[in-house]
Amino acid sequence: MPITHSSIVSAPIEEVFAWHTRTGAFSRLSPPWQPVRVLRESGSLKDGRAILRLPGGLTWVSRHDPEGYRPPHRFVDEIAADGLASLPVRALLPWRHAHEFTRVSESSTRVTDRVETPLGSHLLRPMFVYRHRQLADDLAAHQWAARTGTGPLTIAVTGASGLVGSALCAFLTTGGHRVVRLVRGTVRSPNERHWDPMHPDRAVLDGVDALIHLAGATIAGRFTAAHKSAVRDSRITPTRLLSELAANTDAGPKTLVVASAIGYYGADRGDEALTEDSAQGEGFLASVVADWEAATLPATDAGLRVANIRTGIVQSARGGTLQLFRPLFTLGLGGRVGSGRQWLSWVDLDDLIDVYYRALIDPDLSGPINAVAPSPVRNSEYARTLGLVLRRPAIVPAPSLGPRLLLGTEGSRELAEASQNVIPAKLRAVGHRFRQPDLEGSLRHQLGRLDR
């Protein structure tokens, strides 16, 4: 008996099917809590193959069956073999997956997944709920963009291989946009261009409608002189050079969307509600972010629309604090950090992707934009909620000494013990919709914990 999951999405059947045919669809539908990495997406839903990397060096090869291909109503994939690493998986786990689409009305489609496999439905249900939610929310975002009159864009992206960049690029390509990845290494495809951050080629932004600049050394780490120098040097000058280049490229971007951080507000502002109009705080990160945003002024002065995305604590099972905390809390060793009174301004990864998209398209958004959920929480509430979602106690506090040993006194104060009550005022003003406005919903979405 096949395992079946079905839901109705608010989009025409042709649009729903077309979304699945585009590069990035497989990545957008891959649950973040599963230890699987997409190595290669299928080039065709009719007869292509996708390859996934599994733990232990194994691979999952997904082969599309030409006999099951009936656009826009159906396509089928099944497990196959391609090399020694795929043989054990194929032998132990039979799998045939029919993706079916039925027209409900001119503007809605029933999406049905039917899977023949020995795995139980209780194991697959969270995956299907996640996939259907991603599909519906991504389609809704692209429908909003279409209503603004925005057609397909060519978008250059730096930092495309990172946590945010990989998700954002997959989202953009499934929406019909062309993404040009600016890479520092060897160019391997027509949709890549070589980018030297300190000496960018004059033609790197030719023919580009917009630039999304995400690249920069990770902020997390012990605040040594070398680390602080890497954080600053990887942001300020490269951003200024790209801004100058964009300003002087006639057939170049008219919009720049540049990563930034809520570190602008300083390590501890108490209970003050911080909006984009709030003053700069004190400390190393506040200074870096201020200079980082100022580095975009050449583009602003040239008349380009520039948005600086002041990002909160990103929630994703694939990276960041959630990936770090998850194993500790799963073992029952999680709890508040320090006093637990610190404000934690967080944002779900998929909401962050939507913020970048909104900033890319909405002409009413420019300057600093607080990319945070509308419901910041105390550190103690974050610990309690994560414990609730994982069904584990969250009663083992981490004293301030722990983060200070790992990050140093300055790093601990500005990262682990930072307290910022940040409000997304500009997004509220334009009526922006959040997919995951509350923390528990975000954690369940990211961890596949859908049961209460």
Side-chain angles (χ1 to χ4, degrees):
M1 179 71 69
I3 298 169
T4 303
H5 185 84
S6 180
S7 69
I8 295 176
V9 299
S10 298
I13 188 172
E14 292 82 7
E15 187 176 320
V16 175
F17 193 88
W19 185 94
H20 284 83
T21 68
R22 297 179 183 132
T23 301
F26 208 149
S27 295
R28 290 300 292 160
L29 295 177
S30 297
W33 65 85
Q34 293 181 345
V36 175
R37 184 164 63 93
V38 179
L39 294 182
R40 188 181 76 197
E41 293 198 33
S42 172
S44 167
L45 296 184
K46 180 180 180 180
D47 54 9
R49 289 190 175 205
I51 300 178
L52 310 179
R53 173 72 69 189
L54 304 179
L58 299 175
T59 59
W60 178 302
V61 179
S62 178
R63 182 188 72 87
H64 290 286
D65 181 4
E67 294 185 2
Y69 183 70
R70 296 201 301 272
H73 299 286
R74 190 171 189 260
F75 67 92
V76 175
D77 61 77
E78 57 189 5
I79 197 164
D82 186 358
L84 292 176
S86 65
L87 293 177
V89 182
R90 185 191 182 194
L92 296 173
L93 188 61
W95 178 278
R96 183 175 174 84
H97 184 179
H99 309 252
E100 300 175 353
F101 309 93
T102 305
R103 191 189 309 275
V104 176
S105 69
E106 289 303 311
S107 59
S108 62
T109 303
R110 178 173 291 280
V111 179
T112 302
D113 289 281
R114 301 185 194 277
V115 179
E116 298 175 22
T117 181
L119 292 176
S121 61
H122 67 287
L123 295 175
L124 295 181
R125 179 178 176 272
M127 179 183 74
F128 287 131
V129 171
Y130 176 88
R131 289 168 62 101
H132 285 226
R133 178 184 293 164
Q134 287 291 88
L135 173 63
D137 284 342
D138 280 14
L139 285 170
H142 292 307
Q143 287 172 336
W144 165 81
R147 289 194 296 271
T148 69
T150 301
L153 301 172
T154 298
I155 305 159
V157 180
T158 72
S161 62
L163 175 68
V164 176
S166 57
L168 179 58
C169 289
F171 171 84
L172 292 171
T173 52
T174 53
H177 303 290
R178 181 193 175 206
V179 171
V180 177
R181 291 166 172 80
L182 304 187
V183 299
R184 281 169 280 189
T186 303
V187 172
R188 301 184 185 280
S189 82
N191 288 322
E192 292 183 349
R193 295 179 185 176
H194 179 71
W195 169 57
D196 182 338
M198 303 305 293
H199 303 282
D201 189 282
R202 292 177 59 86
V204 75
L205 298 180
D206 282 351
V208 167
D209 298 309
L211 167 66
I212 298 177
H213 179 37
L214 303 172
T218 180
I219 292 174
R222 191 174 182 85
F223 273 30
T224 63
H227 177 71
K228 291 164 69 173
S229 178
V231 168
R232 173 176 284 277
D233 294 348
S234 65
R235 286 168 170 77
I236 313 304
T237 300
T239 298
R240 178 178 56 80
L241 292 174
L242 276 176
S243 297
E244 292 173 348
L245 184 60
N248 292 290
T249 303
D250 292 337
K254 305 304 178 187
T255 302
L256 267 65
V257 184
V258 182
S260 185
I262 60 173
Y264 175 87
Y265 301 110
D268 189 354
R269 299 287 285 268
D271 291 339
E272 179 184 357
L274 302 166
T275 72
E276 290 87 350
D277 293 328
S278 297
Q280 177 186 339
E282 298 180 353
F284 168 70
L285 290 181
S287 173
V288 169
V289 175
D291 291 345
W292 191 6
E293 294 183 356
T296 64
L297 286 176
T300 302
D301 292 342
L304 280 68
R305 184 171 63 85
V306 177
N308 308 98
I309 309 301
R310 290 179 181 168
T311 306
I313 309 303
V314 180
Q315 300 303 297
S316 170
R318 288 197 175 104
T321 57
L322 183 56
Q323 186 185 53
L324 177 66
F325 288 152
R326 180 186 179 188
L328 292 174
F329 277 76
T330 300
L331 293 172
L333 300 176
R336 61 176 170 78
V337 176
S339 71
R341 293 283 299 164
Q342 313 94 300
W343 282 106
L344 193 153
S345 296
W346 60 277
V347 63
D348 188 273
L349 175 61
D350 289 311
D351 273 317
L352 179 59
I353 299 310
D354 281 353
V355 172
Y356 270 96
Y357 199 40
R358 180 118 201 180
L360 186 71
I361 290 172
D362 193 335
D364 294 329
L365 285 177
S366 62
I369 298 167
N370 288 340
V372 293
S375 53
V377 298
R378 302 278 188 182
N379 179 274
S380 57
E381 183 181 348
Y382 181 90
R384 181 192 63 79
T385 305
L386 181 53
L388 173 68
V389 170
L390 292 174
R391 294 184 173 181
R392 294 291 189 276
I395 58 176
V396 183
S400 297
L401 178 61
R404 289 174 186 174
L405 289 174
L406 292 172
L407 303 171
T409 300
E410 184 181 17
S412 178
R413 182 173 60 85
E414 297 217 23
L415 295 175
E417 299 178 275
S419 180
Q420 299 140 335
N421 181 18
V422 183
I423 308 301
K426 284 190 176 180
L427 294 173
R428 282 179 172 176
V430 297
H432 183 75
R433 169 189 172 270
F434 286 85
R435 304 187 191 198
Q436 304 295 339
D438 70 274
L439 179 63
E440 183 178 346
S442 172
L443 295 178
R444 290 189 181 280
H445 175 67
Q446 289 294 331
L447 298 174
R449 299 300 182 108
L450 305 172
D451 55 319
R452 292 186 178 271

